Amino acid sequence: MKNALILAGLLVITSLAVFGQGYPTQPADALVFPVGVAGTVYEDMELGVRGGTITIANIEDPKGWNDMTAHETSTTYFTQRQHRGLVNLDHISGAIVPDLAKSWEISDDSLVITFHLREGLKWSDGEPITADDVVFTYNDLLLNLDVDTNGRDGQLLPDDTYPVCEKVDTYTVKFTMSVIFRPALNSLSFSILPKHKLAQYVHKLNPEVPVGTFNEAWTLDTPLTELVGNGPYIVTDYQPNVSVTMTRNPYYYGYDPAGTQLPYYDTHISAIVTNQDVSMLKFRNGETDVYALRPEDIAILLPEGASKGFHVLITDQPGYGTTWFLINQDVGLAEGVDNEKREVYRNVKFREAMAHCIDKETMIQNVLNGLGGPQWSPVSVPSPFYAGRDYYGGPITENNAVIFEYDPAKAAGLLDEIGVIDADGDGYRDLPSGAPLAMEINTNDNTTRVASCLILVDDWQAVGLNVTFQVVDFNTLVDRLFGSSGDLIYLGLTGGDEPNSGANVYNSCGSLHAYRYSACDEPDEIDTRVDELLGIGANTFDLDEAFAAYVEYQQLLSAQLGYIYTVVQSFQYAYYDYVGNAFKASPTSTPGGNNGLLMELCFDKRLL
Amino acid sequence: MASRRKKKAQAQLEEQGYVSRSQAQMIWQAFRRHRVGNVGTVIVLLFLLVAIFAQYIGPMSFSYQSRKHPFAPPTTVHWRDDDGSLSRPYVYATTRAIDRTTYAAIFTEDISKKYYIRFFVTGGSQHNLFGFIPTTGHLFAARADDGTEAPVFLLGTDMLGRDMFTRCLVGSWVSLAVGPLVILIAFPLGILLGGISGYYGGGVDMFIQRVCEVFLAIPGLPILMAMGAALRGFGLSAMMVFFGVIVSLAIISWGGFARVIRGQVLAIREMDFVTAASAAGASDLRIIVRHITPNITSYLIVSATLQIPGMMLTEAALSFLGYGIQEPMTSWGQLLNAATNIGAMELHPWILIPGAFIVVAVLAFNFMGDALRDAVDPYSIL
Amino acid sequence: MLTYILRRTLYMLPLLLVVSLISFTLIKIMPGDYLTSARLNPQVTEETLQAQIERFGLDRSFIVQYGLWLKNIIRYGDFGTSFDTKMPVYRALFLGNKLQWTVFIAFSTLVLSYLFAIPIGIYSATHQYKPSDHIVTFLGFLGLSIPNFFFALVLLWILVVIFKVGDHGLTVGGVMDLHFYGEAMSWSKFTNILWHLWPVWVVIGTSNMAGLIRLMRGNLLDTLSLPYVKTARAKGLTERVVIYKHAVRNAVNPLVTILGLTLPGLVSGSVVVAIVLNLPTVGRSYFAALQRQDEPVIMAGLLFFSLFLLIGNVLADFLLAWVDPRIRYD
């Protein structure tokens, strides 16, 4: 009993040590979310109350607590709730909005961006947040070659230099660029890390530690009391394979218009489960409050919602990301074989014929259970730059769309036209020379992709194309993607709002220009124009100008049929009715996650 | 002449109430007594028969996609006419619609036209009977009087509208073959090496046991998972992956047999009758074959029995983890893997049927082996 | 005897060495490597990838990589650092109480399945071919015949959807409710653990028991036909004494032997169940590492399962000698 009391006392003391008292009053520079304010995108949301716990399920364990070295969403789900950056992508409008920086200005020559930080803000341990933290994060971590981070490449400018980061005063930093680059603002949303906690692990600043020490800082093994952040939540407990508990940061600078400090929920628990089925069961069992559902779950959850008290939110809008197959136009190039096949693959009419066999309606109805949409563009549908809009950020009209409708007869006609006919009467079409044409499509072990491939193959077979289907290991698939041994490959890529994030894919020399790597050395007119348009889109801060460039870019790429797009799942999730403001979420690039939910604005209605 | 005399003598003995039987007869008799085992054996034989004629019994190709019938429930076969009188069995064509409020798929029968079930039909999908006789014949099909056809999905369809009945039949090829093929490789190896090891002991024993232990020290499922991943690295076809899985299973299981057999031999060679045989000058081979082997047979049968279905289950588990049989090939494990989705399980329970095939087949194999076990041990108390 | 055991224990080292070589080869045969998924990330440049390849030593030759790996273990007892979590490998594998849970789940399942299997086996043997024998046999085989992953999933579904345990505040999956982690043991925590573990015991236990029941039944039947049992009967001993005092004690021997062999199977075999039922076990770490090709962790994981197997084998030998003094060791 006595021991228990002492233990309890110790716990209180440690938690006080970890978390200071919080701000005595709302800081003048607090970030106020216009919850319920008319005329904003937040107008239909409600003011909440503090308290309670929200529980969600995550599919994988985090790999560490270090946002800088994190490589995957299972980790960044937590670190990005623990750390915030200068600017943020507004989850609802998709616009770039102030976050840690209250404002910024862009110089007349568009080469210098100056950020003004909010003043008087503190880290979760009570230390002040200043420009030094920003400079430390950028210069000593992000650009430090000893640090193993995927974030560095995102900062790269088109001329292979990085923006130069300098401190102007305690609350001002500026970034100077050598070329005009609009997406830079986007990439400057990187998370800011606390210098006073992490500088000690950086060899450059603390020569006593060996090179690379930072990569092993803030691992899962680190005592959680070490973690300090500026986001709404700080990780306070971790049970491997079981759960991650995040507790509110007393020094988070987000407030609602009524002066209540955010987040509303005191605790955010993430239950770690191993698959979506268990995740759904836990939601139905009332163990989790929110669930990002799969198309096949909907007919089960919808009828249950009323009696169990949860709501299923269905959006017709497709989510981020692209799903496609490619016809390797460099097949056999390196080996010097398959010359005629390669010639046929390079014929755009052949690819058009292949595209006319895509039964997108069946894919949507049978594979996505009706919850998805056809896709034709390299840019994700939710992006304001999506060409299916009339102007930047406008409503979706599909006026500019380039569509190859499902029409096997037309496909057969096209094939006849280019001489791909059944010469030997074996039931399969042959190459113009009469040699047999055998193709193989590969994808990895993923239910949706496998089913889509089976549908594709069935239609291709029906027009007399000898295509077989083979599931291969994910890594083999990626090897085939990068090599010239691949034939047809079915895969998907994640996507975002910024079309320039696809530069590495669609630029003729991009590392993921997998449908024709040889385009780098011998680009055709379309390749050259696409490269140009990518430059135009990135080199202007005029969004309308950028939009016009990206429309042409999307139309050219779609007609070129390098990556041939199929269908994309729409975004839907379910939440219990007592979770306030949960209805207001945006589509997410990871259908399994809950990143689209504005977690700091959700609250427990039962506490009202 | 001699045999007639023998028969006569036997008949006389039987008249007097004595029965003399050969070992095989006794085994057969004992086997017959094991009712559940007999049922199991019949089921196993049935499975084999069905597997051979899978594509004939199944009304359509196992990969045929009926696009408009994803997750169609088992087709209702009607026995009664509109006026309630008995009729030839017939089905109706169905159409699928999605209820936009509940997102549930609803199949409605079009009762304007009856499609009668006809047996031994021709003109269906083409396949090769026994693998080499091309035919369009099928056991049954539903055809209207005007010759048009409606699909019959006895066990419903999967996500792509493929007939589960045909898929289950075709899936039995892989599932039924896995166990016997693995045993065929692993058993002789285990018996030979285990027997030698246990009988001779000493240096030979030491050496074989060390080799054996290396294989035993390789953890089963974890290494199978790793092997499955490595196999596909070579870009092998689904068929080769299947054989890869079999070889992997054999590699990791022979050591176990060898060890068990060695343990048995070790105990038996100390028994008096072996010492006696040895003292009487019997050769090693004779002792192994005539004296030791019969004594471990029951043990061998029991472990083989428990191994074959175990292999089927391992194949299923590997498929579940994504390291087993892949599309476009199919097996019960792979079919069941598609059903391990609670959403699908709840809305389309018929896709669980491959699970029933696994359970029944595993049970049948077990009971068959069980009966064999009791049978080869004819002296056990009844 | 003792020297025999000691000798066997020492033999484990070269065995582990061979197993590690096999494992290492297998990992290297696997397509791609840890960085394959990074290659698909449009945001990662070739230079960054190259730096990571060098950092992880993926550009060195097979022999050099294996040699370095081995050298670090022998000289510093260092199994390397996980690519994925940047932690020492043993931490990545055993983080939290995974080792304890793994061993506990395996042992408790083992004990329970023996506790049930032996009496059932005896019952079955003494009632051979009676309806009760058939029923028991059938149920045993049924448990064996249902694939574990499938059984686990169906069980969870039944609990949640049919019995609606959530309405009674009960949760599914894992080894206890979230809030009990880190709490001191109490009655409510104990019962909560029991509630979470029974599905585990049922799923893994049933698949294990049929074999044990069969073995017990078969052995007892064999033993009952041996001359000394006949002698005992002839002496006029009651059937009860004959069976329990004379026959069972000898019939149980192979079961005791197989105990050592069953345990490691439970450790590595429960990987699938651990995935469905969300158990914090070493198998989960291994599966995650395999999926992400975190080589140092896969290696250590395979060695861990291997070590368990070897310990089981030595245990089996020891138990065999212990229960059957006739066996000579020379």
Side-chain angles (χ1 to χ4, degrees):
Chain A
M1 188 62 211
K2 202 174 166 191
N3 282 341
L5 273 179
I6 292 172
L7 198 69
L10 275 174
L11 276 176
V12 171
I13 293 167
T14 31
S15 45
L16 282 181
V18 179
F19 300 129
Q21 302 295 341
Y23 302 111
T25 54
Q26 180 174 345
D29 270 352
L31 165 65
V32 179
F33 288 86
V35 175
V37 175
T40 69
V41 289
Y42 295 84
E43 68 178 339
D44 48 355
M45 295 176 88
E46 299 169 69
L47 288 174
V49 286
R50 281 171 49 149
T53 299
I54 186 164
T55 309
I56 58 120
N58 283 40
I59 297 292
E60 255 184 281
D61 274 81
K63 310 285 183 260
W65 309 118
N66 190 333
D67 186 73
M68 191 57 65
T69 57
H71 288 310
E72 64 293 292
T73 48
S74 57
T75 303
T76 54
Y77 180 87
F78 301 102
T79 58
Q80 295 192 352
R81 279 167 172 71
Q82 188 161 286
H83 300 282
R84 286 286 153 93
L86 292 168
V87 292
N88 200 355
L89 204 67
D90 188 289
H91 282 288
I92 296 162
S93 65
I96 291 173
V97 292
D99 201 342
L100 200 58
K102 59 184 170 191
S103 64
W104 63 86
E105 64 253 356
I106 299 165
S107 64
D108 293 339
D109 60 3
S110 298
L111 289 174
V112 182
I113 308 179
T114 310
F115 290 96
H116 303 284
L117 305 191
R118 296 175 196 276
E119 296 180 19
L121 300 191
K122 291 177 175 171
W123 291 98
S124 57
D125 61 352
E127 294 290 316
I129 304 176
T130 67
D132 288 328
D133 292 307
V134 180
V135 176
F136 163 75
T137 307
Y138 199 80
N139 289 344
D140 300 329
L141 299 181
L142 210 46
L143 299 194
N144 181 349
L145 292 176
D146 297 340
V147 173
D148 172 19
T149 176
N150 285 351
R152 182 159 49 240
D153 297 335
Q155 302 298 326
L156 209 58
L157 297 173
D159 64 346
D160 279 348
T161 62
Y162 295 100
V164 177
C165 172
E166 287 159 297
K167 174 182 173 182
V168 178
D169 61 45
T170 319
Y171 291 113
T172 317
V173 277
K174 68 170 187 188
F175 289 85
T176 313
M177 291 169 289
S178 49
V179 288
I180 300 174
F181 192 56
R182 182 186 47 78
L185 201 54
N186 225 316
S187 45
L188 291 178
S189 63
F190 63 88
S191 299
I192 307 294
L193 302 184
K195 184 179 185 185
H196 68 282
K197 276 287 180 188
L198 290 170
Q200 55 175 315
Y201 302 116
V202 182
H203 173 76
K204 201 170 132 188
L205 305 174
N206 178 11
E208 280 174 28
V209 298
V211 173
T213 307
F214 179 79
N215 297 330
E216 281 149 42
W218 283 13
T219 62
L220 297 180
D221 237 1
T222 306
L224 294 173
T225 47
E226 278 291 296
L227 304 185
V228 164
N230 58 351
Y233 288 106
I234 308 293
V235 176
T236 49
D237 185 53
Y238 172 52
Q239 300 292 338
N241 288 170
V242 176
S243 68
V244 177
T245 305
M246 287 179 288
T247 311
R248 62 173 328 114
N249 170 7
Y251 289 106
Y252 182 54
Y253 48 87
Y255 281 78
D256 73 7
T260 310
Q261 191 191 16
L262 299 171
Y264 288 131
Y265 276 111
D266 283 339
T267 320
H268 172 3
I269 292 178
S270 155
I272 293 157
V273 297
T274 31
N275 68 41
Q276 285 281 345
D277 286 311
V278 180
S279 181
M280 179 176 77
L281 279 180
K282 279 189 171 278
F283 177 73
R284 291 165 81 190
N285 203 30
E287 294 173 45
T288 55
D289 301 316
V290 184
Y291 171 61
L293 49 121
R294 300 165 295 182
E296 60 262 38
D297 299 333
I298 203 140
I300 293 177
L301 293 181
L302 267 178
E304 237 177 57
S307 63
K308 288 205 168 172
F310 60 76
H311 183 78
V312 181
L313 192 131
I314 301 163
T315 62
D316 287 333
Q317 194 189 28
Y320 286 106
T322 52
T323 314
W324 41 258
F325 68 90
L326 66 81
I327 301 169
N328 184 2
Q329 297 173 40
D330 281 345
V331 66
L333 183 66
E335 298 83 355
V337 294
D338 281 340
N339 293 329
E340 198 188 354
K341 187 178 185 181
R342 185 165 64 246
E343 224 33 66
V344 168
Y345 282 6
R346 286 186 175 188
N347 189 336
V348 73
K349 285 204 168 136
F350 176 77
R351 300 199 300 273
E352 281 173 11
M354 296 287 276
H356 278 301
C357 292
I358 310 174
D359 188 353
K360 294 185 183 178
E361 186 53 29
T362 295
M363 287 185 184
I364 293 166
Q365 289 306 327
N366 297 14
V367 182
L368 299 180
N369 222 20
L371 296 166
Q375 200 173 26
W376 62 273
S377 160
V379 174
S380 296
V381 180
S383 163
F385 289 106
Y386 175 60
R389 304 171 193 271
D390 291 342
Y391 52 92
Y392 174 80
I396 293 171
T397 61
E398 299 294 4
N399 282 342
N400 302 317
V402 179
I403 309 280
F404 296 90
E405 71 285 357
Y406 175 56
D407 190 349
K410 199 164 179 179
L414 281 164
L415 291 170
D416 290 343
E417 194 182 317
I418 59 169
V420 177
I421 48 172
D422 183 7
D424 52 11
D426 65 348
Y428 287 123
R429 288 173 186 269
D430 303 298
L431 293 166
S433 70
L437 170 63
M439 303 184 272
E440 180 176 294
I441 185 163
N442 295 136
T443 194
N444 64 321
D445 191 12
N446 167 307
T447 318
T448 325
R449 287 181 196 155
V450 168
S452 306
C453 280
L454 289 169
I455 292 174
L456 280 173
V457 168
D458 208 49
D459 277 311
W460 286 329
Q461 296 258 4
V463 296
L465 287 167
N466 182 9
V467 190
T468 48
F469 167 56
Q470 182 72 55
V471 175
V472 296
D473 188 76
F474 179 71
N475 290 331
T476 310
L477 191 68
V478 174
D479 280 351
R480 290 194 179 171
L481 189 69
F482 291 118
S484 64
S485 64
D487 208 9
L488 271 59
I489 289 169
Y490 195 97
L491 248 180
L493 282 174
T494 54
D497 282 327
E498 177 54 60
N500 195 67
S501 65
N504 224 339
V505 183
Y506 301 104
N507 188 299
S508 56
C509 289
S511 64
L512 275 171
H513 198 271
Y515 48 92
R516 196 158 82 89
Y517 280 116
S518 59
C520 189
D521 300 324
E522 28 186 287
D524 59 21
E525 291 153 47
I526 298 175
D527 297 323
T528 318
R529 180 64 183 154
V530 163
D531 294 352
E532 258 173 45
L533 290 167
L534 271 171
I536 298 171
N539 281 326
T540 174
F541 278 86
D542 181 339
L543 294 175
D544 293 330
E545 196 185 332
F547 181 75
Y550 287 130
V551 168
E552 191 187 338
Y553 159 86
Q554 290 170 60
Q555 289 175 326
L556 280 178
L557 282 172
S558 303
Q560 192 196 22
L561 294 167
Y563 285 121
I564 303 170
Y565 303 95
T566 56
V567 295
V568 67
Q569 187 184 325
S570 66
F571 170 76
Q572 52 262 322
Y573 65 95
Y575 58 90
Y576 276 90
D577 295 338
Y578 54 75
V579 184
N581 290 338
F583 69 94
K584 192 84 177 180
S586 70
T588 149
S589 53
T590 48
N594 296 291
N595 295 333
L597 210 62
L598 275 167
M599 210 56 93
E600 61 251 61
L601 293 177
C602 290
F603 67 98
D604 193 338
K605 282 186 182 172
R606 293 167 300 188
L607 297 174
L608 277 173
Chain B
M1 196 59 199
S3 78
R4 197 189 294 163
R5 213 166 39 227
K6 201 173 168 186
K7 259 186 193 161
K8 202 176 167 189
Q10 192 170 344
Q12 280 173 349
L13 278 172
E14 279 174 14
E15 269 169 34
Q16 292 161 21
Y18 291 100
V19 184
S20 103
R21 293 189 187 110
S22 71
Q23 176 123 358
Q25 281 175 316
M26 286 170 71
I27 289 177
W28 175 240
Q29 289 244 321
F31 184 74
R32 286 276 305 278
R33 250 196 316 269
H34 196 302
R35 293 282 158 73
V36 190
N38 294 340
V39 173
T41 311
V42 170
I43 294 176
V44 168
L45 292 176
L46 258 177
F47 267 123
L48 293 178
L49 196 70
V50 165
I52 292 169
F53 291 98
Q55 287 184 310
Y56 185 78
I57 300 171
M60 51 197 95
S61 155
F62 78 100
S63 57
Y64 170 73
Q65 304 172 6
S66 185
R67 294 273 166 95
K68 301 290 175 210
H69 298 97
F71 286 129
T75 309
T76 321
V77 179
H78 298 271
W79 296 90
R80 285 183 187 284
D81 252 329
D82 308 322
D83 56 10
S85 59
L86 273 179
S87 146
R88 277 192 295 156
Y90 63 91
V91 300
Y92 290 121
T94 56
T95 49
R96 174 182 183 263
I98 289 197
D99 181 326
R100 294 321 287 190
T101 52
T102 62
Y103 279 84
I106 297 155
F107 284 86
T108 27
E109 289 186 325
D110 171 14
I111 56 164
S112 62
K113 193 159 157 191
K114 288 178 179 136
Y115 298 84
Y116 292 98
I117 307 255
R118 288 158 215 261
F119 290 92
F120 305 107
V121 296
T122 51
S125 69
Q126 180 155 350
H127 59 95
N128 291 332
L129 199 60
F130 308 121
F132 60 87
I133 307 171
T135 170
T136 57
H138 287 272
L139 182 62
F140 66 92
R143 284 184 190 154
D145 293 330
D146 60 5
T148 52
E149 212 167 299
V152 188
F153 308 117
L154 284 184
L155 301 178
T157 67
D158 68 0
M159 176 201 267
L160 294 172
R162 297 179 293 189
D163 181 38
M164 287 300 285
F165 178 64
T166 314
R167 290 183 73 71
C168 283
L169 300 188
V170 173
S172 68
W173 293 345
V174 166
S175 300
L176 293 177
V178 166
L181 286 178
V182 174
I183 299 283
L184 215 61
I185 303 174
F187 241 67
L189 214 60
I191 294 171
L192 190 69
L193 293 175
I196 292 175
S197 185
Y199 184 75
Y200 289 102
V204 182
D205 179 30
M206 197 55 115
F207 177 74
I208 294 179
Q209 282 308 298
R210 293 299 82 81
V211 176
C212 203
E213 262 171 44
V214 168
F215 284 90
L216 272 175
I218 298 174
L221 195 62
I223 209 83
L224 281 175
M225 287 154 69
M227 281 179 173
L231 269 174
R232 268 183 287 156
F234 297 116
L236 299 175
S237 68
M239 197 51 152
M240 292 312 284
V241 170
F242 164 62
F243 285 118
V245 168
I246 284 172
V247 173
S248 311
L249 275 165
I251 288 174
I252 62 157
S253 41
W254 75 267
F257 299 133
R259 206 191 161 80
V260 167
I261 287 156
R262 171 185 173 265
Q264 291 283 308
V265 173
L266 208 61
I268 290 170
R269 75 161 187 197
E270 299 297 312
M271 286 188 174
D272 294 342
F273 66 89
V274 177
T275 324
S278 182
S283 69
D284 285 350
L285 189 71
R286 190 182 161 79
I287 292 174
I288 292 177
V289 173
R290 301 288 303 173
H291 300 281
I292 294 182
T293 313
N295 280 286
I296 59 171
T297 316
S298 80
Y299 210 100
L300 286 179
I301 303 272
V302 173
S303 32
T305 319
L306 289 172
Q307 288 298 330
I308 290 190
M311 302 293 172
M312 288 168 73
L313 293 174
T314 308
E315 185 266 313
L318 280 177
S319 291
F320 170 71
L321 294 173
Y323 297 107
I325 304 301
Q326 300 281 1
E327 292 265 16
M329 251 183 113
T330 188
S331 74
W332 290 338
Q334 194 257 343
L335 287 170
L336 190 56
N337 182 26
T340 54
N341 170 317
I342 287 179
M345 201 190 283
E346 237 175 299
L347 294 171
H348 328 292
W350 54 89
I351 62 167
L352 290 177
I353 288 171
F357 276 80
I358 292 183
V359 173
V360 172
V362 171
L363 269 174
F365 266 106
N366 273 322
F367 284 128
M368 182 176 80
D370 194 36
L372 280 174
R373 184 227 154 266
D374 286 350
V376 294
D377 201 4
Y379 300 109
S380 63
I381 312 288
L382 306 176
Chain C
M1 187 65 218
L2 194 70
T3 43
Y4 177 78
I5 300 287
L6 203 71
R7 211 166 63 217
R8 290 296 312 275
T9 313
L10 279 178
Y11 265 125
M12 278 162 57
L13 292 176
L15 274 178
L16 281 176
L17 197 68
V18 180
V19 170
S20 78
L21 189 63
I22 295 174
S23 311
F24 203 82
T25 315
L26 207 60
I27 287 170
K28 288 297 162 191
I29 290 176
M30 269 188 231
D33 55 44
Y34 175 63
L35 297 172
T36 305
S37 46
R39 291 195 177 97
L40 252 197
N41 183 347
Q43 304 299 320
V44 179
T45 62
E46 205 48 54
E47 290 75 41
T48 307
L49 274 172
Q50 208 48 49
Q52 290 184 342
I53 286 170
E54 278 164 34
R55 182 171 292 122
F56 295 132
L58 294 174
D59 52 344
R60 301 202 191 107
S61 77
F62 172 81
I63 301 294
V64 173
Q65 284 189 48
Y66 182 69
L68 276 177
W69 180 80
L70 206 60
K71 193 183 94 184
N72 280 333
I73 294 174
I74 293 167
R75 285 183 57 183
Y76 313 107
D78 176 11
F79 282 83
T81 305
S82 156
F83 293 168
D84 220 12
T85 58
K86 314 283 190 300
M87 287 190 291
V89 156
Y90 72 94
R91 292 289 301 153
L93 210 54
F94 301 143
L95 196 64
N97 295 322
K98 282 188 193 184
L99 181 59
Q100 290 90 319
W101 278 117
T102 307
V103 174
F104 175 72
I105 289 170
F107 262 106
S108 56
T109 312
L110 188 71
V111 169
L112 283 171
S113 44
Y114 268 75
L115 277 182
F116 282 94
I118 292 177
I120 294 175
I122 295 172
Y123 179 85
S124 196
T126 51
H127 296 75
Q128 196 187 15
Y129 298 141
K130 299 225 173 72
S132 50
D133 174 30
H134 291 316
I135 292 170
V136 163
T137 307
F138 182 78
L139 288 180
F141 278 142
L142 195 65
L144 175 87
S145 308
I146 307 175
N148 275 351
F149 65 92
F150 186 62
F151 193 7
L153 212 55
V154 172
L155 204 59
L156 280 192
W157 179 72
I158 290 173
L159 287 177
V160 171
V161 179
I162 310 291
F163 292 112
K164 298 194 179 0
V165 295
D167 298 347
H168 309 289
L170 292 167
T171 64
V172 292
V175 286
M176 61 182 111
D177 282 4
L178 294 183
H179 64 93
F180 280 118
Y181 286 94
E183 251 182 41
M185 184 53 88
S186 62
W187 177 245
S188 58
K189 178 169 172 172
F190 179 72
T191 51
N192 194 267
I193 292 177
L194 282 188
W195 160 256
H196 281 87
L197 284 187
W198 76 259
V200 183
W201 288 326
V202 168
V203 173
I204 311 180
T206 48
S207 65
N208 199 29
M209 261 167 59
L212 291 174
I213 295 175
R214 287 290 74 199
L215 210 57
M216 185 67 214
R217 179 180 179 274
N219 285 318
L220 189 55
L221 287 174
D222 281 351
T223 316
L224 284 173
S225 66
L226 289 178
Y228 79 90
V229 175
K230 289 189 176 137
T231 313
R233 283 214 178 93
K235 277 199 317 192
L237 295 178
T238 62
E239 193 62 19
R240 213 183 150 72
V241 173
V242 170
I243 289 172
Y244 289 95
K245 205 136 185 223
H246 296 266
V248 168
R249 278 170 74 169
N250 284 306
V252 108
N253 286 357
L255 262 87
V256 176
T257 313
I258 218 168
L259 192 115
L261 303 174
T262 313
L263 185 65
L266 286 175
V267 171
S268 60
S270 62
V271 174
V272 184
V273 179
I275 287 165
V276 180
L277 292 179
N278 223 26
L279 310 174
T281 64
V282 180
R284 286 271 301 276
S285 307
Y286 173 77
F287 184 59
L290 196 63
Q291 283 183 314
R292 308 211 10 109
Q293 286 197 285
D294 191 347
E295 293 173 10
V297 183
I298 302 178
M299 281 302 290
L302 282 171
L303 282 186
F304 167 80
F305 292 124
S306 208
L307 184 70
F308 237 91
L309 267 173
L310 291 177
I311 292 173
N313 289 354
V314 174
L315 195 70
D317 272 7
F318 176 76
L319 290 172
L320 184 65
W322 181 56
V323 296
D324 196 346
R326 290 171 301 171
I327 288 162
R328 56 162 212 242
Y329 287 94
D330 45 27

